[in-house]
Amino acid sequence: MSYKIDNTYKLSASEGASQKASSAIAVFHSTANLDTSAKNNAAFEKRTWNSNGAYVHFIVGDGVAYAVGEVGYVAWGAGGSANALSPLQIEMEESSDKAKQLRIYNTVIELLHDYCGKLGIPLTFDAAGTAGVKSHRWCAQYWGETDHTDPWSPLGRIGKSAANVAADLKAGKGGIATSAPAVSKPAGKTVTANVTYALRGLNGGWLDEVTNFGAGDNGYAGVPNHQHDYLTVSVDHGSIKYRVKTAQDGWLGWVTGSNRNDLVNGAAGVTGHAITGVQIVYSTPAGESYQQAYYRSQTTQRAGWLGVCADDGSVTGFDSWAGMDGEPLDRLQIKVSASNPF
């Protein structure tokens, strides 16, 4: 093999899932944080595998694969159904340098070819049925347990189609795109989505809506040092889902609508139960540059904003939900963006 395995950030025997996975599929992810090294991503997963509930078996860079999870055992990367069937999940580093991205891709292809051979996984790609190599997007569409679209953004930058990946897997090497279109496709357009949101005072009335965020009182939803029991969120482009957590109920179900008069389908919360956590996921329309919901909160029991979150924790380097267990949330800021706006 032309790549090396680096075990610096591999989970110990007491870390990660203890269940063995069925040798049915291998999952092909990408890190979704442009120009952040595979090494840094691996260090993050090693550090937060338990708190974030997310890690894979390898994070692959330019000629090196950083091991995290134990091959053959369940990893937490693609939703419960896919995780149980996948003894091999890899994340590909994303680079804005096309030549480097192609080298990283070639490393991924060689690693998948080698390990699928060892595990008895067919060298197909996104084919029908639950066997072979699958993109995270395929898993999300098939099982509906996540809404991720990786690794298609970096694959698009190097002109790789599903047919290209399938051919490269069988050959065990990538090289240049084998069937690149004669006329290059334009890059995905970026459409700015405005997010509008509001909190309801505990056992009280709805507070003013906020769109995106700015300075002063108009820059966040909520009231300092006050508790809130409902949240509503909407976007004017794409789609969004959100949920809240309370001390009494834990995480409640996802909500996709926004209607202050419909506390079941148009808002998240329980009357009289203070919100302690929020999770938000934005879905980018097909053909557009990938964007995510970035958000952060404060609590009634401490000063200052807590860590910035990005969607459901799939973005390396960001928290997976806003809030602090046991501490009522008093302020919230949200923005849909391609990068951290805070």
Side-chain angles (χ1 to χ4, degrees), residues 46-89:
K46 166 68 171 176
R47 186 172 68 252
T48 66
W49 71 270
N50 192 30
S51 59
N52 274 345
Y55 68 95
V56 296
H57 297 101
F58 292 104
I59 302 181
V60 179
D62 188 354
V64 59
Y66 292 92
V68 182
E70 182 69 34
V71 173
Y73 287 79
V74 167
W76 300 335
S81 298
N83 292 345
L85 295 173
S86 179
L88 177 65
Q89 296 193 43

Side-chain angles (χ1 to χ4, degrees), residues 23-44:
S23 287
I25 66 173
V27 183
F28 186 171
H29 304 260
S30 65
T31 57
N33 53 346
L34 192 63
D35 293 327
T36 298
S37 70
K39 180 178 180 179
N40 286 349
N41 280 296
F44 178 82

